[in-house]
Amino acid sequence: MQTTHGTAIRRLALGIALAGASAGTHASMGNIGTSYGIFPEDLATAQALSMFNSQVSANYYNPAALVKDERGELTQAIMHAEQELRAERPNTDNDVLSNDPSQSILLGMKTNVASLLQSGHPIHLGFIAGVEEYGKEMLAFGAEASETGQYMRYGREPLFLSLGAGTRIWRGISIGAASRITLDATATLNATSLPNGETEQEELSVEAEPNIRSILGLTLNWGDTFCADSSCLLNGFESALSFRNSSASSTSVQSNVIVDQLIPDPGLNLSVTTIDSYQPEIYAFGTQYKGDGWRAGFTIEQREWSGLEDELKADTVKDQEDSSGSVARKAEFQDTVVPRIGAEMDLFGRFRLLGGLAYEESPLKSTRTPKLNYIDNDRIIAGLGLSATYKQTRFLRYPVRFDIGYQYQQLQERDFTIEDVDGNTQSVTADGEIHVISGSVTLKF
């Protein structure tokens, strides 16, 4: 009897602690920056050219690129992602596992703070914030075990924050540093409960502190560096390196519960710790060539997903220990390499057409993960977008830029074994598709 009520109370404790975030929300091991792209230009090129973009989204992909435009910038974007994630089971007609949309409002701003320094050396600051459910959900967060299967990298996207700066250090060479900011929440719950589940004399305290992880970037303009005073074969070529440290949102709950007639004082002590929105260490290298009215380039990313195995060991929601304490078929992850190619071309002076392709191998090696029942697929990503610059502004000093981007993700078929708490297994074939559209308005100042 105590075990049954202990399980119920443990779930109650976690539910109360996360109620302020978003009850019933299913988040994922992902964020908009890596799952889709931050602004329409990033979606449209499948992030292949994001390390060289002049917009403030460079703050996340390569903060050294913040120096590309000396002017300040204010960008507001809206993103909507429709997903149909399937797991085909024998003897059933309903194979849709998840089709909840993800919707975000994003705001980005960058400015040159050279006037603050006596030297006058240009330093460009950038800031990005994204909020789920069109601004209604500040902390879209969820963690659960599943008996039917759950997709590892798709779902609601929690609060997205990034702050950084970039500057030129020599001709054609710029560097930048930024931070990816997540929240670590800690909750303490003390309560007295009746056997029917009603609680009284509750005491709940919740604290959250920022977890700041580093982002570093370097950009080299080959022509400006090696032949600044003359024309050479290196003109038009740019290369970039970036590093994004691993990050995750986390919640820890410490609770003490007394159940009348079942659990007397000093009560039952429970501890719940869980992470979400995990992002691995990412090393990226990219090169682009910019010609007369066009540019094209590629990016290669190395993602260190193997570190997630250690993170899950301390997660009491996603743990995979059986009653004897041994680990059975724990989730195994592999490091992955993500290639991306993209291009941009001017059309009729004020319009630009963008496109990109990418291939992402699944980091999930395991096809059977009891309790978690994680599902993840290799995916092919294609993007297309259009950018327009409106120059004849009546009241504004600089032109206004409008962007729209579309991205399609095809999840390749993959077989998994789903196992419930009683050890019953079922084979499923997982696949799916995601449609993402984003629009933005950018003001220069």
Side-chain angles (χ1 to χ4, degrees):
M1 180 69 70
Q2 288 187 5
T3 301
T4 301
H5 279 276
T7 302
I9 294 168
R10 175 172 169 170
R11 292 176 179 175
L12 172 65
L14 181 62
I16 293 176
L18 299 181
S22 179
T25 294
H26 298 280
S28 65
M29 294 296 180
N31 65 56
I32 54 177
T34 52
S35 297
Y36 311 122
I38 298 178
F39 290 149
E41 188 172 5
D42 306 307
L43 267 74
T45 63
Q47 303 175 41
L49 302 181
S50 295
M51 296 176 68
F52 305 98
N53 289 346
S54 62
Q55 285 192 301
V56 68
S57 62
N59 194 71
Y60 179 71
Y61 298 108
N62 174 24
L66 290 171
V67 307
K68 281 184 167 291
D69 193 334
E70 297 291 335
R71 297 168 296 180
E73 175 184 305
L74 179 64
T75 301
Q76 181 169 334
I78 297 178
M79 177 187 297
H80 180 88
E82 288 282 349
Q83 53 194 20
E84 184 174 290
L85 309 177
R86 299 180 290 267
E88 184 178 348
R89 295 172 170 82
N91 305 319
T92 180
D93 295 330
N94 184 15
D95 62 351
V96 177
L97 196 61
S98 175
N99 58 3
D100 293 333
S102 177
Q103 304 155 330
S104 297
I105 286 182
L106 296 111
L107 181 68
M109 185 178 71
K110 72 171 185 175
T111 186
N112 187 348
V113 296
S115 60
L116 296 177
L117 307 175
Q118 291 186 358
S119 65
H121 183 75
I123 297 178
H124 302 263
L125 300 183
F127 171 77
I128 306 171
V131 182
E132 175 63 52
E133 194 64 17
Y134 295 146
K136 296 179 183 179
E137 290 184 350
M138 294 292 291
L139 295 174
F141 187 96
E144 64 177 0
S146 173
E147 293 191 24
T148 59
Q150 57 180 320
Y151 273 80
M152 189 182 80
R153 290 187 290 168
Y154 289 106
R156 297 288 178 86
E157 305 288 353
L159 181 68
F160 184 92
L161 290 174
S162 181
L163 176 66
T167 187
R168 287 188 176 89
I169 59 173
W170 197 54
R171 62 187 194 190
I173 301 176
S174 59
I175 60 172
S179 60
R180 166 85 167 99
I181 305 171
T182 59
L183 294 180
D184 291 337
T186 302
T188 302
L189 171 68
N190 296 302
T192 299
S193 173
L194 299 176
N196 63 4
E198 295 182 5
T199 61
E200 57 185 12
Q201 300 179 356
E202 302 94 339
E203 179 184 349
L204 174 66
S205 63
V206 181
E207 297 180 353
E209 62 181 23
N211 184 354
I212 301 175
R213 309 311 295 267
S214 60
I215 302 172
L216 304 174
L218 169 70
T219 298
L220 171 65
N221 186 311
W222 294 88
D224 290 348
T225 302
F226 296 103
C227 44
D229 300 326
S230 62
S231 179
C232 68
L233 293 176
L234 297 177
N235 287 337
F237 283 98
E238 282 186 276
S239 295
L241 292 169
S242 74
F243 165 75
R244 300 201 295 271
N245 208 342
S246 61
S247 64
S249 298
S250 69
T251 294
S252 297
V253 182
Q254 302 292 329
S255 63
N256 179 271
V257 181
I258 298 173
V259 181
D260 288 346
Q261 304 175 20
L262 293 175
I263 304 176
D265 189 30
L268 177 66
N269 292 315
L270 298 172
S271 178
V272 177
T273 300
T274 186
I275 66 165
D276 205 272
S277 305
Y278 175 82
Q279 287 297 274
E281 289 186 354
I282 299 178
Y283 301 86
F285 169 79
T287 292
Q288 77 163 8
Y289 178 79
K290 189 173 184 180
D292 185 12
W294 64 278
R295 63 173 177 146
F298 71 90
T299 296
I300 296 290
E301 293 180 2
Q302 169 76 19
R303 298 184 174 185
E304 306 288 335
W305 277 99
S306 56
L308 182 55
E309 294 182 19
D310 293 331
E311 296 287 342
L312 292 183
K313 291 179 182 178
D315 193 313
T316 56
V317 177
K318 304 183 183 74
D319 71 89
Q320 298 168 276
E321 290 188 352
D322 59 25
S323 58
S324 65
S326 63
V327 178
R329 303 187 191 92
K330 70 183 184 69
E332 295 182 341
F333 301 89
Q334 63 182 353
D335 300 335
T336 61
V337 176
V338 181
R340 307 178 186 273
I341 59 171
E344 174 185 303
M345 181 175 61
D346 289 348
L347 297 175
F348 317 117
R350 67 178 62 185
F351 295 97
R352 292 182 297 129
L353 181 67
L354 304 97
L357 293 170
Y359 178 79
E360 294 190 16
E361 183 182 6
S362 171
L364 180 63
K365 292 175 60 178
S366 308
T367 58
R368 185 174 180 178
T369 54
K371 296 186 180 181
L372 279 180
N373 285 322
Y374 264 156
I375 292 175
D376 195 65
N377 307 66
D378 298 344
R379 47 186 173 174
I380 299 172
I381 303 171
L384 188 66
L386 185 67
S387 178
T389 302
Y390 183 67
K391 299 180 179 180
Q392 297 177 346
T393 57
R394 182 171 299 181
F395 303 106
L396 301 176
R397 181 177 180 182
Y398 296 109
V400 179
R401 172 175 167 174
F402 301 91
D403 292 90
I404 185 169
Y406 167 77
Q407 188 177 102
Y408 173 75
Q409 298 190 7
Q410 175 65 57
L411 277 63
Q412 305 298 289
E413 287 190 356
R414 187 178 180 189
D415 295 329
F416 289 88
T417 299
I418 304 301
E419 183 175 329
D420 62 21
V421 293
D422 297 323
N424 301 316
T425 62
Q426 187 178 42
S427 297
V428 302
T429 300
D431 67 354
E433 55 187 14
I434 294 92
H435 302 270
V436 192
I437 188 168
S438 177
S440 69
V441 179
T442 301
L443 305 177
K444 299 289 185 177
F445 59 89

